[in-house]
Amino acid sequence: MKLAELAALCGFEVSQGGGETVTGFAIDHRKVAPGTVFGAFRGARVNGEDFIPAAISAGAIAVVAGEQAVVEGAAHIADAEPRRAFARLATPFFAPFPEQVVAVTGTNGKTSTVEMTRQLWRMAGHRAASIGTLGVTTPDGSVATGLTTPDIVTFLSNMSGLAREGVSHVAYEASSHGLAQFRNEGPAVAAGAFTNLSRDHLDYHGTMDAYFVAKMRLFDEVVGEGGSAVIALGGDWSQRACEHARRRGLRVFTVGEQADGIGLLACEPTRLGQRLVLAYEGEQIVVMLPLIGAYQVANALVAAGLVLATGGDASMTFDALSRLQPVRGRLERAAITSGGAPVYVDYAHTPDALEAAIAALRPHTAGRLITVFGAGGDRDAGKRAVMGAAAVKGSDLTIVTDDNPRGEDPGLIRAMVMEGAPGAREVPDRREAIAAAIAAAGEGDIVLIAGKGHEQGQIIGRGNETRILPFDDVKVARECAGTLLGEK
């Protein structure tokens, strides 16, 4: 497609030329080839406008940038919101996309919800995929991306590739960063979901209200006209989310206690999961959910709500809930110690998520609940002591260790966590901390290893000095439990 034709299709004017053929899009000047449209955005640490000359030298035929940017030797598509303009321009280039697309936002539960939605669709016979923290999960396998919401070029390329592979249904995670930076624009979104909101990313957003506003772009702008909003009830934030959806004219479908979409009437822990009594369209439905934890119930109901809101069969959907598989690193049972204590790994890295993970395991704990966790560096420092308090409040033994220190002193990070965790043990080395927790666990106890979940490495340093050391909580837990079995 010619540049001028593509620009006109999206309502933009080309400052010069326009007869060139567009061959691709890039936001990294090192990935520019002849015919590329380059996106030059101002970021927190890097100003993309500094690389405009290099991009043009590499063959960029147009630059999407702010109105004051200097562009010489290529067309300048100027816009006050260049990220949004770039996304609009790239969308028709990468189209077509899968027919049915839904998106999930919230502080916790996004990964589990999109994966559960994919599973429910798959069990209904659809070729379905999910995009998020775990990567791109397709009917044929999984490819890691490393970001909850990939950059807009990767996102659109992934969506286009899935469509070419015959995938008809996609659920993706819409993070606050991704929504604020227009990283998941383009494909028509039939339904959006809101799981919950608790403290996270305030180093970026500043306040909880600003954080919430970023999340609400999903309902305010991204979900298509006449679409649906699936909302897990629970607190003021969910009520405010309902208000945003209603103002937009979306169909509001709530799940949880007192919900008018899927009501949760009762929840009883069982040895391997939970027995749920649900209300839907005037009927009571019993589901044996093979997952533990109240928040797993919420995630499963949101996933079911997304399927139903987009035309799924109710009977088939509720039946499929009983066959859901655990999501990698989300209350994943990694090992059983020589004394019979199960060891769970969870991605919980916020106070609310840590509290929820502990609460999920407590009903299944006959003895002590032992929690191992840390806090990441170069992230919201204000949540560290709060996480420590949540851990010691809900656990019988708390071990504070390193997570991903990144560019910070890990000792200082642990000290901030320990301020809120009186009585906790401090074991700096994460492997040693996991080994200590497993060694301390006896019959009836449960071990929770929180913070990293599915991650395969430990991030140390920042910028050009960043190193990722191989580290998998699940693998390490199995190795430590295996060592103990050998010693016995």
Side-chain angles (χ1 to χ4, degrees), residues 227-301:
S228 298
V230 178
I231 298 171
L233 293 183
D236 293 339
W237 294 115
S238 62
Q239 294 300 328
R240 290 174 62 177
C242 289
E243 293 170 5
H244 273 262
R246 291 192 179 101
R247 281 199 299 269
R248 176 77 191 292
L250 303 179
R251 176 198 173 202
V252 175
F253 187 104
T254 57
V255 303
E257 296 180 11
Q258 310 300 317
D260 55 16
I262 302 174
L264 177 61
L265 303 181
C267 176
E268 176 187 350
T270 65
R271 189 173 67 88
L272 298 176
Q274 302 171 82
R275 179 181 183 272
L276 310 180
V277 181
L278 308 176
Y280 179 71
E281 294 189 343
E283 296 185 10
Q284 285 193 13
I285 303 163
V286 175
V287 171
M288 301 303 295
L289 186 70
L291 306 169
I292 64 173
Y295 72 87
Q296 293 282 48
V297 174
N299 295 338
L301 295 186

Side-chain angles (χ1 to χ4, degrees), residues 34-48:
T36 299
V37 176
F38 177 61
F41 315 135
R42 291 179 178 271
R45 297 177 180 171
V46 178
N47 181 4

Side-chain angles (χ1 to χ4, degrees), residues 333-486:
R333 193 171 70 187
I336 297 179
T337 70
S338 56
V343 181
Y344 288 90
V345 169
D346 193 82
Y347 189 53
H349 59 281
T350 68
D352 183 70
L354 186 58
E355 184 177 346
I358 291 170
L361 294 172
R362 179 56 72 181
H364 304 267
T365 308
R368 297 183 304 165
L369 181 56
I370 302 170
T371 299
V372 179
F373 82 104
D378 296 336
R379 296 294 187 269
D380 182 7
K383 68 182 181 182
R384 294 170 185 170
V386 185
M387 290 178 67
V392 296
K393 179 181 179 181
S395 308
D396 300 294
L397 171 61
T398 299
I399 300 177
V400 175
T401 189
D402 291 344
D403 193 308
N404 294 315
R406 298 185 176 87
E408 290 192 63
D409 181 338
L412 295 179
I413 297 174
R414 293 193 306 274
M416 295 179 73
V417 175
M418 292 293 289
E419 286 181 5
R425 290 175 57 186
E426 184 177 355
V427 180
D429 183 88
R430 192 172 182 91
R431 177 181 286 272
E432 292 181 6
I434 292 171
I438 290 175
E443 184 178 357
D445 295 344
I446 287 181
V447 176
L448 168 65
I449 305 169
K452 292 177 61 58
H454 64 283
E455 294 178 352
Q456 303 292 296
Q458 193 167 31
I459 306 171
I460 297 175
R462 66 165 70 102
N464 293 331
E465 298 180 355
T466 299
R467 290 182 297 149
I468 302 179
L469 306 180
F471 200 98
D472 181 341
D473 279 354
V474 172
K475 181 180 178 181
V476 171
R478 289 172 180 168
E479 290 172 352
C480 292
T483 299
L484 289 176
L485 283 170

Side-chain angles (χ1 to χ4, degrees), residues 93-111:
F93 177 83
F94 284 99
F97 305 113
E99 304 162 14
Q100 195 72 271
V101 177
V102 301
V104 180
T105 197
T107 303
N108 304 307
K110 296 187 296 297
T111 300

Side-chain angles (χ1 to χ4, degrees), residues 94-161:
F94 284 99
F97 305 113
E99 304 162 14
Q100 195 72 271
V101 177
V102 301
V104 180
T105 197
T107 303
N108 304 307
K110 296 187 296 297
T111 300
S112 294
T113 300
V114 298
E115 172 56 15
M116 289 178 187
T117 304
R118 184 193 71 83
Q119 290 186 37
L120 294 175
W121 274 333
R122 178 181 57 78
M123 286 185 274
H126 303 294
R127 284 186 58 80
S130 62
I131 299 177
T133 305
L134 298 182
V136 182
T137 304
T138 71
D140 307 311
S142 178
V143 178
T145 62
L147 292 172
T148 301
T149 307
D151 67 80
I152 182 62
V153 176
T154 302
F155 176 72
L156 292 175
S157 179
N158 285 340
M159 293 291 276
S160 177

